[in-house]
Amino acid sequence: MRTDSRARSWRARTAAAGTAAAALLGASLIATAPAAQADPGPGINQQVGVPAYFHPGVPSGGTAWATLASGTGTPGLTVVNIANGPNFEENAPNETFKTAIRQVRQAGGKVIAYVDTGYFGTNTIGAPKTTRLGDTSIAAWRIQIQHDVDKWYRLYGPEIDGIFFDQGQNSCGPNGTNAYADEYRALTAYTKRNHPGALVVDNPGIDIPQCYEDAADIQVTFEGSYTDYQAFNPPQWELDSDPAKFWHLIYETTEAQMPSAVAQSKQKNAGTVYVTPDQLDPNPWDSLPGPSYWSTELAAAKVAPTAAAATPAQPAAVTTSATSVQLSWPNSGPSTVAGYDVYRDGVRIGSVPHRTTGTSQFTATDLNPSTAYAFTVRARNDAGVLSAASPARSVTTSAPGANPPGVPGSFTGATAGPTSVQLSWTASTPGSAAVVAYDIYQDNTRMATVPASQISARLGDMTPGTTHTFDVVARDVTGRVSAHTAQVSLTPPPPAGGPIVNVTATLTATQAEYKATYQLPFGTHRVFIDADNNANTGYVTGPVWPGVGADFMLENGFLYKATKNGADWTGMWQTVSLTPSPLVSSTNDQFVWRIPTSVFGTLNGGTQKLAIQGGEPSTWAAAYLTIVQQ
């Protein structure tokens, strides 16, 4: 459900397939087959999880965020989304969002941050999704996703509780492999390793095979309308698993239908739910239900308190290495336990998601060598009630290998555009153990981690004209790291002529055409169109050329029409359905849009004023143009 807080770029779920790439090491779960069970039904004590894709700086969005922070109206989870992720064009937090997030957390809610995974570029329906730098490979997506995760924490770290990975795959992998599931499992491991305690959610928005059961803390397995929800039947493995693993998002639901939707979500084993009357067009997540609807939904999700499951026994350390510990404990009983949460030094690091009849196990990974840890386990029932923590098991990991890996060889770099650099190196020589990953540093800060099979990387989101230093280290399976390579200094050049060049437009009796070359990797590409030559109609404020009242807006591949006049972006735009898409081409960053002139109605004076724009509100660049109908 990719969409930012100001404009919609929502995409339906798609099945996907493509080529595989090696994943980084991540936490693993080992358990026996789940025992048969009855569907939990009304016994689930749900949390409400809201995609809060409304801007707290506009009146309606501010009111909605205030409701989320009101205590009695606070959901269990809130997804914050500034610009289809953090605003990667900014290097400081947005204080309006930061305040709104903090207030929700102070009211008792958890806030998780949006990151687009683009199906790792592996979708086969339509063109593969591209990174901001225009790449489609799994390796390129991996680096961008890591960057966005780390940027959320760098800018808002104390204010967020985890990450929401959107546009998630729903295929295990090509040719019978689990390659795609492994990539998402590795993302979860990366996030938890670098940001302890983070909650991780994947959003395929559709049924997933069981290979994804341990790929994230929560999976969004339905995203659609109330009508579609009536026909949605989760696979049996989801019904048999821990309700806390699943989240259902249901839009276009009337207030009269909402109690039924919540009740159905319990029967369908969703521990997290959100139901809204909002419509798919233009964006089902750009508003919050009214007070009566909202309070009733929050109440419907809850159930009366139930007794906690029995406290698990002290876990045993089955095997220990320099970077991992395999834990095992007796099952508390398949009839009462939906899942187990595992904690390392008091911080939740994962869960065993389904019932077992014998011993339950969990492998904690990404540990430091020669380090003491205390592990505990808590059991959770269908209602979501946790038991007391088990007695702690203290474990000290093994020492690292005696000899570190060799320094990666032949490290070189070159600028690859105004915001990116291309780095490469040769494989490190193993020391006492095999090399498993390379850590890439920018200005002495780790910026990406790639598997040992990858010996090149393109890093982006840099400020043009700014010099940065880069180096790489190798890391082996025991946690031993090599010395750093010699640093390389690189300065991405500013774009010649400015961020947006080659802007042209033509307007005839039958067709309007707009062209622009974007020389920076903006996440959004827009053309604001004043079609009635009246500065007081449509979107009339904001960073638009004075005198432009935008009656229409092109954004990437969509055309929108303004539904009201004024400054409040929320509810401003309605999709204009066009076939084919108005975006004709975006080759080499030149965007070309074509629209039938009839869409605009009568042109006042045969003139249009345009603001051709890229980026997000606080950082966007724009070019301005007035065209006369030919």
Side-chain angles (χ1 to χ4, degrees):
M1 52 184 182
R2 184 178 185 272
T3 176
D4 66 36
S5 349
R6 295 186 58 86
R8 175 247 191 190
S9 182
W10 186 89
R11 291 171 181 160
R13 302 299 97 205
T14 57
T19 58
L24 305 182
L25 295 180
S28 64
L29 304 174
I30 307 172
T32 58
Q37 67 166 108
D39 296 344
I44 300 177
N45 187 35
Q46 296 172 308
Q47 65 177 350
V48 176
V50 179
Y53 296 175
F54 27 82
H55 199 293
V58 300
S60 59
T63 299
W65 276 95
T67 298
L68 298 178
S70 65
T72 56
T74 301
L77 283 180
T78 298
V79 184
V80 60
N81 183 7
I82 298 178
N84 288 328
N87 190 345
F88 47 84
E89 296 150 20
E90 291 182 330
N91 291 309
N94 182 306
E95 291 299 329
T96 302
F97 270 99
K98 188 173 182 178
T99 298
I101 295 167
R102 180 185 299 122
Q103 290 171 344
V104 170
R105 296 184 75 248
Q106 289 173 342
K110 290 186 176 182
V111 179
I112 57 177
Y114 180 102
V115 171
D116 180 18
T117 72
Y119 314 109
F120 274 97
T122 61
N123 57 297
T124 56
I125 299 177
K129 306 301 180 186
T130 63
T131 65
R132 292 188 290 273
L133 295 174
D135 299 321
T136 61
S137 71
I138 289 177
W141 271 106
R142 185 189 297 125
I143 289 174
Q144 178 174 295
I145 295 164
Q146 291 179 8
H147 173 277
D148 287 358
V149 168
D150 293 339
K151 187 159 190 177
W152 271 115
Y153 276 93
R154 186 166 67 253
L155 298 183
Y156 302 91
E159 313 299 340
I160 60 173
D161 298 285
I163 298 294
F164 182 94
F165 288 124
D166 196 22
Q167 297 203 98
Q169 257 283 4
N170 68 315
S171 164
C172 292
N175 305 317
T177 70
N178 288 337
Y180 300 156
D182 287 344
E183 290 292 344
Y184 285 91
R185 192 173 291 106
L187 283 184
T188 294
Y190 177 90
T191 303
K192 290 179 179 290
R193 177 174 67 248
N194 294 296
H195 311 287
L199 177 73
V200 177
V201 178
D202 284 348
N203 179 27
I206 194 172
D207 275 342
I208 51 175
Q210 198 167 357
C211 60
Y212 281 94
E213 187 173 22
D214 65 343
D217 295 310
I218 300 175
Q219 295 280 353
V220 179
T221 55
F222 180 85
E223 182 182 349
S225 69
Y226 177 80
T227 299
D228 292 338
Y229 199 53
Q230 309 313 296
F232 172 65
N233 295 304
Q236 191 61 44
W237 79 265
E238 290 183 17
L239 295 174
D240 289 344
S241 191
D242 182 354
K245 299 293 293 185
F246 306 108
W247 185 351
H248 294 171
L249 294 163
I250 310 162
Y251 53 78
E252 294 180 0
T253 308
T254 67
E255 188 165 359
Q257 294 167 333
M258 180 267 294
S260 172
V262 174
Q264 288 181 58
S265 70
K266 292 177 185 288
Q267 293 290 343
K268 295 172 183 180
N269 208 34
T272 305
V273 67
Y274 177 58
V275 187
T276 176
D278 208 343
Q279 302 293 302
L280 173 61
D281 185 12
N283 173 8
W285 318 121
D286 64 357
S287 69
L288 198 66
S292 173
Y293 191 117
W294 184 234
S295 62
T296 303
E297 178 173 347
L298 290 173
K302 298 302 178 183
V303 299
T306 62
T311 301
Q314 182 185 44
V318 179
T319 59
T320 302
S321 74
T323 57
S324 67
V325 173
Q326 186 184 57
L327 302 167
S328 175
W329 61 95
N331 195 337
S332 297
S335 63
T336 59
V337 176
Y340 295 97
D341 288 349
V342 182
Y343 298 78
R344 183 189 68 213
D345 297 333
V347 176
R348 183 181 179 276
I349 58 173
S351 63
V352 176
H354 52 78
R355 293 169 172 81
T356 58
T357 56
T359 300
S360 295
Q361 298 180 356
F362 180 89
T363 301
T365 59
D366 295 314
L367 306 179
N368 294 320
S370 303
T371 302
Y373 296 97
F375 296 96
T376 55
V377 179
R378 299 177 73 182
R380 184 178 51 257
N381 64 17
D382 279 327
V385 180
L386 285 168
S387 72
S390 70
R393 171 63 64 185
S394 296
V395 182
T396 298
T397 52
S398 306
N403 300 313
V407 179
S410 304
F411 179 61
T412 61
T415 59
T419 65
S420 64
V421 299
Q422 181 70 45
L423 308 174
S424 63
W425 58 94
T426 57
S428 174
T429 302
S432 300
V435 174
V436 294
Y438 295 102
D439 294 328
I440 304 168
Y441 286 79
Q442 176 181 319
D443 300 329
N444 301 313
T445 299
R446 182 193 47 74
M447 295 298 290
T449 297
V450 301
S453 59
Q454 184 177 336
I455 54 174
S456 66
R458 186 181 181 188
L459 301 185
D461 298 326
M462 299 170 199
T463 302
T466 301
T467 299
H468 301 279
T469 61
F470 304 90
D471 57 85
V472 176
V473 301
R475 181 157 41 87
D476 71 19
V477 71
T478 72
R480 176 78 77 177
V481 297
S482 72
H484 288 249
T485 63
Q487 290 186 331
V488 171
S489 295
L490 298 171
T491 307
I500 305 174
V501 297
N502 303 327
V503 177
T504 61
T506 57
L507 181 64
T508 70
T510 59
Q511 179 177 270
E513 182 180 83
Y514 313 103
K515 294 182 179 180
T517 299
Y518 292 84
Q519 299 198 102
L520 295 179
F522 294 117
T524 53
H525 308 81
R526 299 188 181 110
V527 179
F528 291 100
I529 305 167
D530 185 344
D532 63 2
N533 202 21
N534 184 340
N536 297 313
T537 60
Y539 180 53
V540 298
T541 64
V544 178
W545 187 25
V548 175
D551 308 296
F552 293 85
M553 177 188 68
L554 285 160
E555 183 190 66
N556 298 337
F558 299 92
L559 176 67
Y560 302 91
K561 181 177 181 179
T563 61
K564 59 183 181 180
N565 305 322
D568 190 347
W569 190 278
T570 305
M572 171 66 73
W573 303 104
Q574 180 179 7
T575 307
V576 178
S577 181
L578 289 178
T579 304
S581 168
L583 182 60
V584 178
S585 172
S586 57
T587 303
N588 296 325
D589 298 323
Q590 183 189 57
F591 279 64
V592 179
W593 294 273
R594 294 192 186 111
I595 303 171
T597 306
S598 58
V599 167
F600 303 121
T602 302
L603 298 177
N604 186 1
T607 299
Q608 289 184 349
K609 293 181 179 179
L610 311 174
I612 298 165
Q613 175 264 322
E616 294 306 319
S618 60
T619 54
W620 60 14
Y624 308 109
L625 195 65
T626 298
I627 56 174
V628 178
Q629 188 172 7
Q630 299 175 4

